[in-house]
Amino acid sequence: MDPSNEVLNPGLHSDTSKAREAHSVPDAQSSTGATVGNERHPRQGGRRRGSSRGRGGRGGRGGQNKRKDLGRAEWSRNPVDKRARNEANQEAAKRRKLEGHGEDKEAPIYAVSFSKEEIESEERKPKRKAAVMIGYSGSGYKGMQLNHHEKTIEGDLFRAFVAAGAISKANADDPKKSALIRCARTDKGVHAAGNVISLKLIIEDPDIVKKINDNLPPQIRVWGFERTNGSFSAYQFCDSRIYEYLIPTHAFLPPHPDSFLGKTLEKFAEEAEDLEGYKDRQQEVSSFWAETEEHYIKPILKTLDPSIRPLVLKALYDSDTEPVTKEETRKEPDAGPDSTTNGNLGGEEEARSLRAEKAAPDQTVDSSVPMAAGDGANMPSEKPMESTEGVQPLPKPREPSPLDLAVKQLKAAYISAKKAHRIHPARLARIRSALSHYLGTRTYHNYTIQKTYRDASAKRVIKSFVIAEKPLIINDTEWLSLKVHGQSFMMHQIRKMVSMVALVVRCGCPESRILDTYREEKVSIPKAPGLGLLLERPVFDTYNQRLVAEYGREKIEFTKYEKEMENFKQREIYERIFREEERDNQFHVFFTSIDNFKSTQLLYLTSMGIPATTRDMAIGSAGAAEGAAAIDNPSSDDDAEPEDG
């Protein structure tokens, strides 16, 4: 959805690296007696002549950081495209690895091979640097960026360019020959109504856009292109980006009173003498769960055998028996390659896989409801044994027990009640107020991974974060459209920002808790499902001014394609999001897992604030497994990369 992260001024930092590289070479040469300029400096005790002990002159350690020796104009001239440089280094490293181990070089799946005769017989046509405006649904793709062995958006685009004749046969085996650069690198499952790539294309054919689209699947579209100057980079010259996040309004309902978080919120509010304030912040939704119990749950409970009613409620909210110490709740489970490294717990996929190991291979496991005690005992836990006569048939799944059926029925009733919910105007106003705390320049080290409070690149600029005036009603579910406009975003950042606002509002937490996350203390913020995230469009205002004034060309903007883009969004993006949520109930699963996450990590959402996370509590163990599904849910597996870094 993040290597090569953007910073507030990419060009400035790129030149810093350039200046360091330019001065580090002479220093290294002078220390070994190599020629520097027209002089030769002998070694003097392993030190360069004129260098002081420990640090080298005014340039910093080893004389390498000589940024002050350059004038501002010289220092900020000729920005380096860091992404292209880093990708070139990565490719070179891959080639060296293959050559060093004597492995066969396998061509990337996006490369198109032609014979020497075909290449030589092709008519040579001029290539022009262009900004290509595209849109796509990320479902079924391993993200935007080219990948040697995975299906990606760029891979399909590149092959379509070749098939349409926009890229010559001589350049069809390697996108680098066409200088392909993307503006925003979205990740697995993430969509984009508008994105931009820059590359050299053969664009003489007036029907080239149609020919490209004819070679693309319906979920990827090329809107058009604009000629640019030769030095244009879609990544380097982008001013900012606008993302949209779709979230159902039931995500802002308070935790169920019988869940771990629901009980803890009221208990800590009373302990902090904030019970009245807590109830006031939850006033507009205070009757939701009582009405749900009355109209949705009690009619089902009345039909159940009295002997299993307590077991049903226990399976839903209190299936834990073993205590968990404070140290154990801080441990990070082995969540595989998708787990994060910033102290948060693993992902939902891991939690699901752990639970699925206890189920029969062809039996569906409901990941949003804890398994009742003893359920696993009747399920096969081992693979069928192989015999000399072949593989034995799989054992038949057991018949669902009355307890299983009751839990499933109650879960469906709760989901129905949530879908019928319509957000109160006061709740909507509180969401808007909470989003306003993101505006300006903030330190987002708690909203990504592998960033510290003092890391300068953790500072990001948010220009606006707004909600659409009217909620959408799709398939009887009410949705909100959130749009965030920022200069650049880090891995997980948008999803964690959305999650933090939802948690603050639904937990009746003071809005000032968002401001607490900008401080040095480490705070575990779950990331909301990637299902609702899409790139609306990148913005090139600064470059557009130059493009018109200096080159007399058209601006790089999407206004002329708005009608086609809106139809595409409805058909290929929105409908997919709503359809997947209808099928999987990802937001219900996500917030239910958080509500039953029995750990101190999320207790900063209580009236006690961040100090509550250091308390030692006797809590259950199964909640930690559910928490693996909640704290860092990679539902789109998108954050192996930044959202647009």
Side-chain angles (χ1 to χ4, degrees):
M1 204 140 243
D2 36 276
S4 71
N5 282 336
E6 298 175 65
V7 290
L8 300 185
N9 191 334
L12 182 145
H13 286 263
S14 299
D15 291 333
T16 303
S17 302
K18 185 177 180 181
R20 289 176 177 171
E21 291 169 4
H23 288 274
S24 63
V25 174
D27 290 342
Q29 290 174 335
S30 61
S31 66
T32 58
T35 301
V36 181
N38 295 323
E39 298 182 44
R40 184 173 182 84
H41 299 281
R43 293 176 63 109
Q44 294 188 1
R47 296 187 182 276
R48 181 171 54 84
R49 181 179 296 174
S51 64
S52 59
R53 184 179 299 274
R55 287 188 177 270
R58 70 186 273 205
R61 188 186 300 269
Q64 294 182 4
N65 187 16
K66 293 194 174 182
R67 189 164 67 182
K68 297 180 181 179
D69 292 345
L70 300 175
R72 177 174 290 274
E74 181 182 358
W75 182 42
S76 60
R77 193 178 297 125
N78 299 324
V80 176
D81 191 336
K82 293 193 297 181
R83 169 171 285 174
R85 182 191 64 195
N86 291 342
E87 289 180 352
N89 290 341
Q90 290 172 4
E91 289 297 322
K94 289 179 182 177
R95 285 195 296 270
R96 287 195 299 270
K97 183 178 180 181
L98 289 173
E99 292 167 359
H101 290 79
E103 300 176 12
D104 294 332
K105 296 180 182 179
E106 183 180 349
I109 62 172
Y110 53 79
V112 183
S113 300
F114 293 96
S115 66
K116 184 178 179 182
E117 292 75 17
E118 288 176 306
I119 294 173
E120 291 177 348
S121 64
E122 184 182 33
E123 179 186 356
R124 294 177 64 87
K125 297 178 181 179
K127 298 185 291 292
R128 309 295 184 192
K129 193 67 171 288
V132 182
M133 285 158 279
I134 61 174
Y136 51 85
S137 166
S139 298
Y141 285 87
K142 292 287 187 177
M144 167 72 174
Q145 187 182 10
L146 289 166
N147 187 307
H148 270 52
H149 307 294
E150 302 283 1
K151 183 181 179 182
T152 65
I153 301 295
E154 280 184 347
D156 277 12
L157 278 168
F158 182 74
R159 295 179 69 90
F161 290 149
V162 174
I167 290 178
S168 66
K169 294 177 180 179
N171 295 336
D173 61 337
D174 189 358
K176 288 185 174 57
K177 294 180 180 179
S178 299
L180 190 154
I181 297 292
R182 72 209 59 85
C183 171
R185 175 170 45 195
T186 57
D187 305 298
K188 178 183 174 183
V190 178
H191 319 292
N195 202 348
V196 174
I197 59 175
S198 58
L199 73 166
K200 293 179 284 186
L201 291 177
I202 301 169
I203 51 179
E204 294 176 332
D205 189 343
D207 296 326
I208 191 64
V209 172
K210 181 181 182 303
K211 290 181 179 179
I212 294 171
N213 283 327
D214 288 344
N215 287 280
L216 286 170
Q219 69 184 92
I220 305 176
R221 293 291 89 183
V222 170
W223 307 124
F225 63 88
E226 297 294 346
R227 285 281 309 278
T228 67
N229 63 321
S231 63
F232 176 76
S233 165
Y235 170 73
Q236 202 75 16
F237 287 88
C238 180
D239 292 325
S240 56
R241 295 145 176 94
I242 300 174
Y243 278 85
E244 182 177 15
Y245 193 92
L246 297 172
I247 184 170
T249 56
H250 64 68
F252 298 94
L253 287 169
H256 192 283
D258 289 333
S259 66
F260 171 77
L261 189 56
K263 293 177 181 177
T264 307
L265 288 171
E266 190 161 339
K267 174 185 175 183
F268 277 36
E270 188 173 0
E271 190 174 328
E273 299 182 353
D274 183 42
L275 187 59
E276 185 176 342
Y278 169 75
K279 290 183 177 180
D280 183 62
R281 292 187 290 270
Q282 301 281 38
Q283 184 176 3
E284 64 272 11
V285 291
S286 59
S287 63
F288 173 80
W289 287 113
E291 293 173 358
T292 297
E293 296 291 328
E294 186 68 29
H295 296 105
Y296 289 86
I297 305 304
K298 285 185 178 179
I300 297 176
L301 292 177
K302 288 179 181 178
T303 65
L304 299 180
D305 188 325
S307 63
I308 68 169
R309 287 179 195 170
L311 296 176
V312 171
L313 297 176
K314 185 178 180 65
L316 283 171
Y317 300 113
D318 192 23
S319 59
D320 307 331
T321 54
E322 299 178 14
V324 173
T325 65
K326 181 170 70 175
E327 289 73 16
E328 287 174 328
T329 65
R330 303 279 179 199
K331 289 181 181 178
E332 184 175 348
D334 182 11
D338 291 331
S339 62
T340 65
T341 55
N342 67 334
N344 291 341
L345 296 177
E348 175 169 287
E349 295 299 326
E350 175 70 8
R352 288 185 178 183
S353 66
L354 290 175
R355 195 176 287 128
E357 288 176 1
K358 298 181 181 180
D362 58 347
Q363 182 173 355
T364 301
V365 178
D366 192 341
S367 63
S368 65
V369 181
M371 293 181 64
D375 275 2
N378 297 323
M379 295 185 183
S381 59
E382 297 180 359
K383 296 180 180 179
M385 299 295 292
E386 293 186 2
S387 67
T388 56
E389 299 179 358
V391 178
Q392 295 180 355
L394 294 173
K396 294 181 180 180
R398 67 173 178 84
E399 290 294 325
S401 68
L403 177 61
D404 297 329
L405 296 174
V407 169
K408 185 176 181 179
Q409 193 176 5
L410 285 177
K411 178 209 166 186
Y414 277 124
I415 292 175
S416 297
K418 287 183 175 182
K419 288 181 176 180
H421 171 70
R422 299 295 178 258
I423 196 164
H424 192 281
R427 202 71 164 175
L428 206 55
R430 189 150 188 260
I431 297 170
R432 286 195 175 97
S433 178
L435 290 173
S436 69
H437 293 294
Y438 289 131
L439 302 184
T441 304
R442 306 285 190 178
T443 303
Y444 288 99
H445 64 294
N446 278 319
Y447 292 80
T448 185
I449 67 169
Q450 298 177 338
K451 297 283 184 185
T452 64
Y453 173 73
R454 303 189 184 280
D455 194 329
S457 65
K459 291 186 181 294
R460 300 286 155 146
V461 178
I462 302 300
K463 299 185 176 185
S464 67
F465 210 148
V466 297
I467 309 177
E469 287 298 322
K470 293 182 179 180
L472 305 170
I473 306 295
I474 306 293
N475 298 332
D476 298 326
T477 302
E478 188 179 53
W479 293 75
L480 295 179
S481 170
L482 314 180
K483 289 191 178 181
V484 56
H485 184 187
Q487 193 169 24
S488 60
F489 299 93
M490 298 177 289
M491 183 193 297
H492 306 340
Q493 183 182 341
I494 296 174
R495 290 166 61 189
K496 283 177 177 271
M497 291 168 75
V498 171
S499 175
M500 185 65 190
V501 165
L503 291 172
V504 164
V505 172
R506 71 193 300 271
C507 293
C509 180
E511 293 176 17
S512 60
R513 196 72 73 246
I514 296 176
L515 302 179
D516 293 341
T517 64
Y518 304 140
R519 298 181 181 137
E520 192 165 2
E521 294 92 345
K522 200 65 180 173
V523 177
S524 295
I525 303 175
K527 63 179 186 290
L531 173 68
L533 181 64
L534 67 131
L535 173 63
E536 179 77 13
R537 69 182 185 275
V539 179
F540 293 87
D541 286 343
T542 303
Y543 181 76
N544 282 341
Q545 294 173 7
R546 289 184 54 202
L547 201 66
V548 174
E550 298 181 20
Y551 304 103
R553 302 191 186 280
E554 294 292 325
K555 295 180 179 179
I556 302 173
E557 57 185 10
F558 293 86
T559 52
K560 66 178 73 173
Y561 312 111
E562 283 183 353
K563 184 177 179 180
E564 297 95 321
M565 290 174 65
E566 193 61 34
N567 291 335
F568 177 81
K569 280 169 63 176
Q570 291 293 337
R571 183 183 70 254
E572 297 292 342
I573 298 179
Y574 289 166
E575 287 302 322
R576 286 176 186 268
I577 291 174
F578 301 143
R579 192 164 58 244
E580 289 182 33
E581 175 61 18
E582 183 76 14
R583 183 190 67 210
D584 300 331
N585 296 305
Q586 290 189 30
F587 287 93
H588 166 79
V589 171
F590 174 71
F591 287 107
T592 300
S593 298
I594 285 177
D595 295 346
N596 292 288
F597 178 33
K598 300 191 174 183
S599 168
T600 60
Q601 284 181 262
L602 298 180
L603 296 189
Y604 63 84
L605 296 168
T606 67
S607 298
M608 302 287 287
I610 293 179
T613 61
T614 62
R615 295 181 56 159
D616 197 0
M617 302 177 64
I619 56 181
S621 60
E626 290 299 313
I631 289 295
D632 263 321
N633 165 28
S635 56
S636 72
D637 195 27
D638 65 37
D639 291 330
E641 304 291 348
E643 272 140 3
D644 56 286

